[in-house]
Amino acid sequence: MTAAGVDTVLSSANQQIVIGPGQPFCIIGERINPTGRKAFQQELRAGDLSRVEADVAQQVAGGAMVLDVNMGAPLADEAELMGRAVQLIQGLTDLPLVIDSSIIEVLDAGLAAYQGKALVNSVTAEDDRLAAILPLVGKYGAAVIGLPNDEEEIPEEPARRVELARKIIDVATGKYGIAIEDIVIDPLAMPVGADTGHGVRTLETIALLREEFGVNMTLGASNVSFGMPDRHAIGAAFLPVAISHGLTSAIMDARSPQVVRAVKAADLLLDRDPWGASWIAAHRAQQAAASAAAASAAAASATAAQAAGASAAAGQVSGAAAQAAP
């Protein structure tokens, strides 16, 4: 028997997002992260957050519902940057935020600066990490992502992942009084390029977690396709299958129309988009944007043609005047 599902509520100062099995799939934008971005790392070391503004704008335009914020650049003052970034981003958008760091001081700085109910990314099943991070989650009234790995292993077997998830849930609810709806479990997405069985194991873990606990789940969707060509196609195939197994959110590339459309189509097919209203509205918006772009391009082309014609006419007049000169 499948456990009853719960709703996880995140909020900013002015907006609320609900993650749950009966809700539209929650797209958490992954882009505000310096991992693999050398230029961004250099800017962060210099205290420059200007690139964050573009990352926010692109993800909001792409359909992100929540934004993950990670300031983990080597040799940077991550805690100071996190506090500043949270304030900056909340001035740019009303979307709720995920405060993403493995460093306690950084999580504290981000949560202290945040207005609303954030999601903490993340805590593992290691005893010292549970003891360090869960009190912080309780202090700020946040929600938390639980990773089912410990000091011994990142488990391959779904049953072991479920066992460690149970530990996280039991400690969080029993010892620290964190509500189960504020615990979001990561079923661990691993690269299929390293082992094509990884995808199946993640899907099995998702189904087991839904059946046993009914908790909400998230994962790093880009992990699945890491190292493979045509990564967006893999993500667009994997996520709808994961959603059908019980995944309710993902930290993903909100700038990829292919992947975003795939999860929106899954919402439609799983009856989470009543009357297809969101799907139809998105299609009409896309058509309107395409028409506006075509009209703008046509206008620019006409302007260029007029300018070229005027330039040619001026050249002809100048040439005629030169010939007429004594």
Side-chain angles (χ1 to χ4, degrees):
M1 180 177 177
T2 300
V6 298
D7 284 343
T8 301
V9 179
L10 305 177
S11 66
S12 64
N14 301 304
Q15 185 171 331
Q16 179 175 286
I17 291 291
V18 181
I19 304 173
Q23 302 292 329
F25 188 76
C26 183
I27 298 170
I28 303 173
E30 68 179 10
R31 183 63 174 169
I32 307 173
N33 189 323
T35 303
R37 303 173 68 188
K38 291 184 178 180
F40 190 22
Q41 291 177 17
Q42 291 174 351
E43 289 166 359
L44 291 180
R45 282 193 286 271
D48 179 4
L49 292 173
S50 58
R51 193 176 297 265
V52 171
E53 298 185 27
D55 288 343
V56 169
Q58 290 172 1
Q59 293 182 106
V60 170
M65 301 157 72
V66 176
L67 297 178
D68 186 272
V69 184
N70 183 302
M71 293 285 111
L75 304 178
D77 186 343
E78 190 177 341
E80 190 268 342
L81 287 169
M82 180 63 81
R84 287 176 54 208
V86 165
Q87 292 177 333
L88 171 65
I89 295 165
Q90 290 208 284
L92 297 170
T93 179
D94 283 334
L95 297 187
L97 301 184
V98 178
I99 310 300
D100 182 356
S101 180
S102 60
I103 301 171
I104 306 301
E105 294 77 13
V106 176
L107 294 176
D108 198 355
L111 290 167
Y114 187 69
Q115 298 180 46
K117 180 180 178 182
L119 179 60
V120 171
N121 187 7
S122 56
V123 67
T124 65
E126 299 165 90
D127 292 334
D128 62 338
R129 300 298 292 173
L130 291 167
I133 293 173
L134 292 181
L136 204 59
V137 173
K139 173 184 176 182
Y140 289 103
V144 64
I145 297 172
L147 297 177
N149 59 268
D150 60 14
E151 57 275 354
E152 296 181 2
E153 61 178 339
I154 299 176
E156 290 281 345
E157 291 304 313
R160 176 59 177 159
R161 296 180 188 181
V162 171
E163 183 179 341
L164 291 174
R166 183 182 297 110
K167 176 182 177 180
I168 294 169
I169 292 168
D170 287 348
V171 172
T173 58
K175 186 173 182 179
Y176 295 100
I178 297 170
I180 192 166
E181 56 264 30
D182 287 333
I183 303 167
V184 179
I185 298 295
D186 186 331
L188 301 181
M190 310 289 279
V192 295
D195 180 347
T196 51
H198 279 324
V200 174
R201 285 188 284 273
T202 299
L203 294 172
E204 185 179 342
T205 304
I206 292 169
L208 289 172
L209 290 167
R210 177 172 67 174
E211 181 176 352
E212 181 143 354
F213 306 114
V215 291
N216 285 305
M217 288 171 267
T218 197
L219 49 70
S222 296
N223 293 349
V224 177
S225 62
F226 183 78
M228 295 294 284
D230 203 1
R231 296 182 65 184
H232 292 316
I234 295 172
F238 173 78
L239 281 172
V241 180
I243 294 168
S244 72
H245 282 64
L247 189 70
T248 49
S249 68
I251 300 172
M252 55 183 276
D253 189 352
R255 305 167 305 151
S256 168
Q258 183 177 11
V259 181
V260 171
R261 281 198 298 266
V263 301
K264 296 298 186 183
D267 281 340
L268 175 66
L269 296 171
L270 294 171
D271 195 22
R272 296 171 188 172
D273 180 7
W275 304 104
S278 293
W279 181 263
I280 293 168
H283 176 70
R284 288 174 175 167
Q286 185 179 9
Q287 284 185 317
S291 297
S296 178
S301 178
T303 300
Q306 289 175 352
S311 177
Q316 291 175 351
V317 170
S318 177
Q323 289 177 356

